[in-house]
Amino acid sequence: MQTILGANGQIAQELARELKRSYTDDLRLVSRNPRKVNQSDVLIAADLLDAQQTLEAAKGSDTQFVSLACEVFGKNISYSVINKWVLSVAGLFSKGAREIRELLPRYQQDNLFDSTKFKRRFPNFNVTTYREGLEEIRREWQGKKVG
């Protein structure tokens, strides 16, 4: 089971399509008001600003985007979910934490993007898959380390 948190945004929708096309039919989409991208998607409504709801929604799954990036970069990562008040306290001491906390209201509603005009204007535009994009980033990163 692969879980996409914040599943109503454009990036998450494209990720769901790519995961279904290239990896698995077993997708779980999580947001306040999730909508299916693929017929086989499992939907879970959760407030992702609530750590307990987020942990419950992700229980028993791997997040493919994270594991895909780990695979491409050959790294293992770990992360934890913190709630808003912890981030607020951290913001008293850390400019980075304060800036992250200031961005949270932006994610309280879903962002919907319509690419119809772009697709009409550039019908031959090739879309880069997540894997291709990550591999290109890795190549550029390695080139900078060597040079």
Side-chain angles (χ1 to χ4, degrees):
M1 170 70 67
Q2 305 299 319
T3 300
I4 300 174
L5 302 173
N8 285 345
Q10 182 66 35
I11 292 172
Q13 290 176 6
E14 293 301 324
L15 178 59
R17 285 185 191 100
E18 178 64 21
L19 290 173
K20 169 124 173 104
R21 181 174 40 249
S22 302
Y23 297 99
T24 184
D25 288 338
D26 201 12
L27 296 175
R28 181 185 300 160
L29 307 183
V30 181
S31 69
R32 283 186 318 281
N33 300 298
R35 293 182 302 273
K36 286 190 176 194
V37 175
N38 307 296
Q39 189 60 35
S40 59
D41 293 343
V42 173
L43 304 179
I44 296 185
D47 178 355
L48 297 178
L49 297 177
D50 181 309
Q52 188 59 41
Q53 287 184 36
T54 303
L55 290 172
E56 282 298 314
K59 187 182 263 181
S61 67
D62 297 318
T63 303
Q64 181 63 43
F65 184 75
V66 172
S67 62
L68 181 60
C70 289
E71 183 181 316
V72 170
F73 284 88
K75 303 281 184 185
N76 289 322
I77 65 159
S78 64
Y79 63 90
S80 54
V81 177
I82 60 174
N83 61 32
K84 285 193 290 189
W85 74 266
V86 172
L87 198 54
S88 295
V89 171
L92 297 173
F93 306 98
S94 165
K95 181 180 177 185
R98 185 170 45 253
E99 289 175 356
I100 291 170
R101 175 66 176 96
E102 290 171 359
L103 288 173
L104 289 180
R106 182 195 183 293
Y107 297 104
Q108 289 179 341
Q109 63 262 355
D110 297 327
N111 295 303
L112 302 176
F113 299 95
D114 182 357
S115 61
T116 305
K117 289 181 182 178
F118 183 87
K119 289 178 181 178
R120 202 173 316 135
R121 175 68 177 94
F122 303 100
N124 297 322
F125 183 83
N126 291 324
V127 176
T128 302
T129 67
Y130 286 99
R131 176 177 287 282
E132 291 168 341
L134 288 168
E135 288 172 347
E136 180 64 24
I137 290 168
R138 180 183 47 81
R139 281 191 297 274
E140 289 177 8
W141 178 71
Q142 287 176 329
K144 288 180 183 178
K145 281 179 67 174
V146 173

